[in-house]
Amino acid sequence: SGFTALEVFDCRQNQLTTIDVSQNTLLTHLYPGLNQLTSLDVSNNPNLITLYCHLNQLTSLDLSSNTALKNLVCRNNQLTSLDVSNCPDILNIHCGTNPMTSLNINNCTQLFRVTTYSTNLTGLDTSTNPALVDLFIDGGQITSIDVSNNPLLIKFNCSNNQLTSLDVSNNTLLENLYQEL
């Protein structure tokens, strides 16, 4: 916390149980992955563009103050919900292997890629994500998904869910479709 001009902080692969970045308001890239963090407060980091906090034990992640966020990797944690709706410029989200029941990606109009697997998601609203090209939602509990507002979708994996039907008639650019109905 003493390095207030710090823009990039990479503390991956340690045995850290806590980090304090509250005084690092200029931070743009934070890499605390592969540690043993149970909480992470990034509320004082409004310039954060990249956050890789994967392989920890986070139970929640508040990103409401991180409106500049573009890349998020938070896979392999204990997150039950994730809300990036206040991150309009986010491009990439990788949040697989979390016991999530909720993923809010509303208003993320630049969102390019979503990767999630082995979750408890029962649904996902992609209606406000027109730039979505790659959607990977393998291994959830999703019963239905509407991708009609995702005209740029090229890769779509919705295998190992609870889908009984799937309409991709509006996805004319689709090249790769993986599904099990």
Side-chain angles (χ1 to χ4, degrees), residues 57-92:
Q57 296 168 32
L58 301 175
T59 56
S60 65
L61 188 58
D62 182 357
L63 301 171
S64 59
S65 299
N66 307 104
T67 57
L69 195 64
K70 292 188 182 292
N71 296 295
L72 173 64
V73 176
C74 58
R75 66 181 173 82
N76 297 81
N77 276 289
Q78 298 300 315
L79 300 174
T80 55
S81 66
L82 183 62
D83 185 347
V84 293
S85 63
N86 206 36
C87 308
D89 297 328
I90 197 158
L91 300 172
N92 179 46

Side-chain angles (χ1 to χ4, degrees), residues 4 8 10 13 22-23 28 49-50 54-55 58 70 74 91 94 97 99 113 118 136 140 142 152-153 173:
T4 56
V8 177
D10 188 341
Q13 288 186 304
S22 61
Q23 302 301 312
T28 58
I49 294 170
T50 300
H54 58 294
L55 290 158
L58 301 175
K70 292 188 182 292
C74 58
L91 300 172
H94 189 329
T97 313
R113 177 178 294 121
S118 301
F136 188 98
I142 295 176
L152 302 179
L153 200 59
L173 299 179

Side-chain angles (χ1 to χ4, degrees), residues 21-174:
V21 291
S22 61
Q23 302 301 312
N24 308 104
T25 58
L26 300 178
L27 204 58
T28 58
H29 295 77
L30 178 59
Y31 304 99
L34 295 111
N35 279 294
Q36 298 185 19
L37 302 176
T38 56
S39 65
L40 180 62
D41 183 355
V42 289
S43 60
N44 287 337
N45 309 107
N47 299 310
L48 201 59
I49 294 170
T50 300
L51 175 59
Y52 282 29
C53 56
H54 58 294
L55 290 158
N56 277 290
Q57 296 168 32
L58 301 175
T59 56
S60 65
L61 188 58
D62 182 357
L63 301 171
S64 59
S65 299
N66 307 104
T67 57
L69 195 64
K70 292 188 182 292
N71 296 295
L72 173 64
V73 176
C74 58
R75 66 181 173 82
N76 297 81
N77 276 289
Q78 298 300 315
L79 300 174
T80 55
S81 66
L82 183 62
D83 185 347
V84 293
S85 63
N86 206 36
C87 308
D89 297 328
I90 197 158
L91 300 172
N92 179 46
I93 300 168
H94 189 329
C95 57
T97 313
N98 277 292
M100 286 190 306
T101 56
S102 170
L103 174 58
N104 186 346
I105 55 175
N106 290 333
N107 305 315
C108 301
T109 58
Q110 304 303 310
L111 188 58
F112 177 81
R113 177 178 294 121
V114 174
T115 304
T116 182
Y117 46 84
S118 301
T119 68
N120 294 323
L121 290 176
T122 57
L124 183 63
D125 181 1
T126 63
S127 63
T128 60
N129 312 114
L132 200 57
V133 170
D134 189 349
L135 180 58
F136 188 98
I137 53 172
D138 190 336
Q141 304 297 316
I142 295 176
T143 55
S144 68
I145 186 159
D146 181 354
V147 289
S148 61
N149 290 322
N150 310 112
L152 302 179
L153 200 59
I154 293 174
K155 295 180 183 178
F156 184 26
N157 184 330
C158 56
S159 295
N160 302 306
N161 278 286
Q162 305 297 316
L163 295 172
T164 56
S165 66
L166 182 63
D167 181 359
V168 291
S169 59
N170 285 354
N171 308 101
T172 58
L173 299 179
L174 200 58

